[in-house]
Amino acid sequence: MEEQLVVFQLGDETYGIEISAVHEIIRMQSITKVPRTPEFVEGVINLRGRIVPVIDLHKRFNLPLEEETAHSRIIVVEVKGVTVGMIVDSVSEVLRLPQANIDPPPPAITGGIETEYLRGVGKWEERLIILLDLDKVLEQSEYNALEQHAHDLAAAGKE
Amino acid sequence: MTVDFDISQYLNIFLDEAEEQIQILDETLVLLEQEGENQDLLNKIFRAAHTLKGSSASMGFENMAQLTHAMEGVLDDLRHGELSVTSDIIDHLLQSLDALKELKNNISAGQDNGVDVAPLIANLKNVKNQVAAAAVAETIPSPEVVAGEEPEVITKPAETLSGADLGMDDVEINVAAAAKANGYNVWHAKVTLSHDCLMKGARAYIVFNNIKDLGEVIKTIPPIDEIEEERFEDSFEFVLVTKSGADTLIDTVKSISEIAAVEVQPVNVSLVAQSVSQTAKEDRELKPVAAGAPKGNGAQTQAQPKTSQTVRVDVQRLENLMNLVGELVIDRTRLADVNGGLKAKLGAEELLETLEEVTVHVGRIIGDLQEEIMKARMFPIEQVFNRFPRMVRDLAQKAGKEINFVIEGRETELDRTVIEEIGDPLIHLLRNAIDHGIETPENRVKAGKPSTGTINLRAFHQENQIVITVQDDGKGMDPEVLKAKAIEKGVITADVAARLTDREAVNLIFAPGFSTAATVSDVSGRGVGMDIVRAHIEKINGIVEIDSTPGEGTKFTIKLPLTLAINRSLMVYLGGQVFAFPLANVVEIINVDLNEIQKVQQRDVVLVRGEVLPLFKLSEVLDYPSDNQGSTKLPVVVVGISEKRIGFIVDELMGEQEIVIKSLGEFIGQIPGLAGATIMGDGKVALILDVRGLAGQAGV
């Protein structure tokens, strides 16, 4: 048993997501900022006539922000029928990783990213690949609730 | 080799058809009461009841079949002048109709009971019996008008068909031969459905279902799946292996309604195909001779109105088409942009000219396509209007008022989405007109008006809008009375009231918590009416206006967009991005000088033609960056929400454009102040503003 992963960089860390969730990988393009959305939502893009929201994974994981470069990409994923673009610093490769090489997430693996977003850690040629749990990454209930709370506060403040 | 039918697939067709027939009954019965004995109308009503009887019987919905059968009986007597139209009879019929509606709803919920039809049937029978008793002396059989009441029957036991004539294969012939050897009969039957039979497949189903008890069908012409799909003309054939005789078979088939004729012949299976086929075929093609009722009125039966051919299409499919066309509309703009850009860059090139030609042509075709698909989503407003005459009649009766209800422009077409939303507000306006508008007959006569009031419901196209008016010639609205009421209810203060114009006073009825009825009736006057009406209409980007003259009547005018999927918008810049104001909400665009802005209660306002206009910075309301670099001339988009006017300061104006509304998607969800997004000619995304939401955010 092995898993096919799309491997990408965020800062100096290497991440992987299962290839089946990946729709396509596109170059950076102009993003329309949408008001009143969480900080990590960069805005929306036009993906061949579809409106697709784009999030910045650095902001999502509270990692230090990186400059946009010629290598920056948007990975368009679809999870549970919701299509979202994720900004990454670069996409390196597609890997086949044997299941045996994947360990459960250790308690505190890196400086930034919280373990709840992790599915595990893969080892490949002496490199560590952080496997993301996309369901959790794209979970909205958490920030929706926060948003709602913020709105309620704002509304209360107005009256 | 049993041939079986699946009934479930017919249920939806049946329900659609039942709905249609019930609609027809609904309209026509009320008309009948007004117009009295009108033969065309009676025929139409009879046909509807008859069709409903037939289809409900086919589907095995006994309650509905029995009730419609009883209705049909009374209608038939009316049609033949043996009964005359009285309001008593109409009442019975209307009550039965209500029961039919309920039955239909129950059926769609999965059951054929819950309504006690027995008393209704008894009432209808009573009506009929009274006549029968009176007319017992002159028992002349009434001539049949609708074919299918009495099927023609032809049996030709003398002649036989061979199995091969019927296209039976060897296996089938062997089965038949074996059966025959065991003392079974093998019958060939040709069943002709009546010309106006609407659900042929279902009818065929019931035929096969009934003869299943007699024996086994071993062959059908055309094949059973084609019959199921209604791929046959008026007739179909089958071969039945049975112990029963031809008479039983004929009786069984005859007991089903909408059967025009049955021909039964024995099949000789021992014979191998030979020259007999020629003659047998001729025999079968012989015109059946009328055996039952005289066909004196045959011509009338043939004179069915020709209906245009239609196809039922899933609404979702239309939505998809509309979305695809939306894409094309966007690309049309892009194409034109690219074309313009190339031309500016390369100058006059032959190839570019060709490109331009093609661009223009494609653009025109996309425009036509858009229009056609929009039309395909349109329904005549009839669908909504048709249920009103009955409602008005009932309400008028209840309120003790005499009302002549006139409907104009039933054929006016509206977008499906608009149709769904417009029904409720109209019901409310009509109820109000009956309850509060039209006076009682005594009061009308006192006021020197005819005792019968008139309510006029009218729909028509005007430019790019649909206009619907509800007008009554009742007592109208007195601004002073309205003001007094509003003060009493605490809607406004006496101070404010004194400054209101008559027009503004009349508009008070749209204020939440306002009701003008002196007594609260069970239909309107609950004080939640008119503000909801307005909210409903504004939800579909419409507006509603009132004109009222005391003593002469009130007129409500509703203006609606043709469609909700595509709209014209005013595009503006804010923080380098483009935002769209739906043009329906935009009142005007003004330029405001920075030093014209004044503060009232810590809010920015500006005086426009003597009126105070509250001003908001769009960037502040949306919490969005602004590019405004200290310019003193500020572009302001003035929007109207109900009677309110609000100005939003933007960075820059861009222009008008036709846009397709797209959702921001589940991930982002609903954002207050935004209605969605659209894709512009250059491929970038613009956000569409929701003016109501913005006003809410601004705290207006």
Side-chain angles (χ1 to χ4, degrees), chain B residues 9-83:
Chain B
Q9 58 171 310
Y10 295 115
L11 188 60
N12 280 334
I13 304 176
F14 166 75
L15 286 172
D16 281 353
E17 191 193 284
E19 173 73 44
E20 237 165 74
Q21 303 304 334
I22 287 175
Q23 274 279 7
I24 293 175
L25 287 173
D26 215 8
E27 285 163 57
T28 47
L29 280 175
V30 176
L31 269 182
L32 183 67
E33 187 177 39
Q34 289 167 6
E35 296 183 10
E37 263 116 272
N38 171 333
Q39 200 60 33
D40 284 347
L41 197 58
L42 277 166
N43 281 335
K44 195 172 171 194
I45 301 172
F46 177 84
R47 269 198 301 273
H50 180 72
T51 309
L52 205 50
K53 180 186 89 171
S55 56
S56 55
S58 317
M59 299 294 290
F61 298 124
E62 278 307 313
N63 281 330
M64 190 183 271
Q66 281 169 16
L67 183 56
T68 40
H69 179 71
M71 291 172 78
E72 192 192 45
V74 172
L75 289 166
D76 202 33
D77 285 350
L78 288 172
R79 203 166 57 140
H80 293 124
E82 286 163 29
L83 270 177

Side-chain angles (χ1 to χ4, degrees), chain B residues 547-558:
Chain B
D547 279 309
S548 189
T549 317
E552 283 176 25
T554 305
K555 179 179 179 183
F556 287 91
T557 306
I558 299 170

Side-chain angles (χ1 to χ4, degrees), chain B residues 199-490:
Chain B
M199 295 164 69
K200 290 179 188 152
R203 195 66 60 191
Y205 161 77
I206 200 78
V207 169
F208 285 112
N209 203 33
N210 285 6
I211 59 174
K212 214 160 63 185
D213 299 337
L214 301 179
E216 208 166 314
V217 175
I218 60 167
K219 169 85 188 169
T220 66
I221 303 167
I224 192 69
D225 47 331
E226 286 182 24
I227 297 181
E228 263 185 75
E229 288 161 18
E230 288 195 15
R231 294 203 331 248
F232 62 97
E233 290 298 316
D234 286 342
S235 68
F236 58 90
E237 298 165 48
F238 60 85
V239 176
L240 178 74
V241 177
T242 174
K243 287 221 155 151
S244 311
D247 290 348
T248 319
L249 174 56
I250 291 166
D251 285 346
T252 307
V253 176
K254 246 172 67 179
S255 68
I256 300 156
S257 48
E258 290 194 294
I259 303 286
V262 194
E263 286 174 62
V264 175
Q265 283 172 276
V267 180
N268 188 348
V269 277
S270 55
L271 277 181
V272 192
Q274 41 175 256
S275 60
V276 201
S277 64
Q278 196 65 33
T279 46
K281 199 153 183 263
E282 274 164 19
D283 272 349
R284 276 195 285 151
E285 279 170 1
L286 275 179
K287 274 259 175 277
V289 184
K295 293 203 77 177
N297 287 339
Q300 200 178 332
T301 321
Q302 295 303 318
Q304 286 277 335
K306 258 221 147 93
T307 46
S308 60
Q309 291 228 322
T310 54
V311 183
R312 279 186 211 272
V313 180
D314 188 353
V315 168
Q316 192 53 48
R317 190 163 285 178
L318 286 179
E319 297 289 317
N320 291 347
L321 274 176
M322 195 66 186
N323 281 340
L324 289 174
V325 169
E327 302 296 326
L328 285 177
V329 171
I330 290 162
D331 282 341
R332 171 177 64 181
T333 322
R334 291 186 68 175
L335 208 52
D337 282 358
V338 169
N339 196 52
L342 279 178
K343 212 168 171 186
K345 214 167 171 179
L346 305 173
E349 279 246 11
E350 205 175 314
L351 268 178
L352 267 183
E353 264 163 38
T354 317
L355 178 65
E356 186 166 7
E357 247 171 59
V358 175
T359 307
V360 169
H361 187 231
V362 167
R364 196 177 307 139
I365 289 175
I366 291 173
D368 290 351
L369 192 61
Q370 181 186 343
E371 202 170 300
E372 286 300 316
I373 291 185
M374 260 167 65
K375 275 188 199 152
R377 289 160 43 103
M378 304 277 245
F379 285 106
I381 199 164
E382 205 170 16
Q383 289 201 340
V384 181
F385 280 9
N386 281 351
R387 49 183 215 227
F388 292 153
R390 169 76 193 280
M391 186 192 86
V392 170
R393 170 196 182 269
D394 288 356
L395 290 177
Q397 223 170 39
K398 213 177 244 172
K401 295 179 180 173
E402 289 168 20
I403 292 173
N404 174 28
F405 184 48
V406 183
I407 296 183
E408 290 171 64
R410 289 168 190 268
E411 67 290 339
T412 311
E413 291 194 319
L414 260 82
D415 193 274
R416 189 183 66 81
T417 41
V418 182
I419 289 229
E420 279 168 7
E421 297 290 337
I422 197 62
D424 287 351
L426 285 179
I427 288 176
H428 233 100
L429 291 179
L430 287 172
R431 284 180 162 177
N432 273 328
I434 298 163
D435 244 33
H436 310 312
I438 303 286
E439 313 90 326
T440 55
E442 306 86 70
N443 284 348
R444 287 184 67 87
V445 172
K446 254 185 245 165
K449 296 187 196 176
S451 66
T452 302
T454 300
I455 295 179
N456 192 306
L457 177 64
R458 182 161 176 246
F460 56 96
H461 282 255
Q462 192 176 64
E463 289 156 23
N464 243 339
Q465 284 185 316
I466 303 282
V467 183
I468 302 172
T469 59
V470 178
Q471 187 168 19
D472 67 61
D473 65 347
K475 59 177 178 276
M477 287 187 266
D478 184 340
E480 293 312 315
V481 174
L482 289 170
K483 281 188 204 173
K485 268 265 147 51
I487 297 167
E488 185 193 314
K489 303 251 165 177

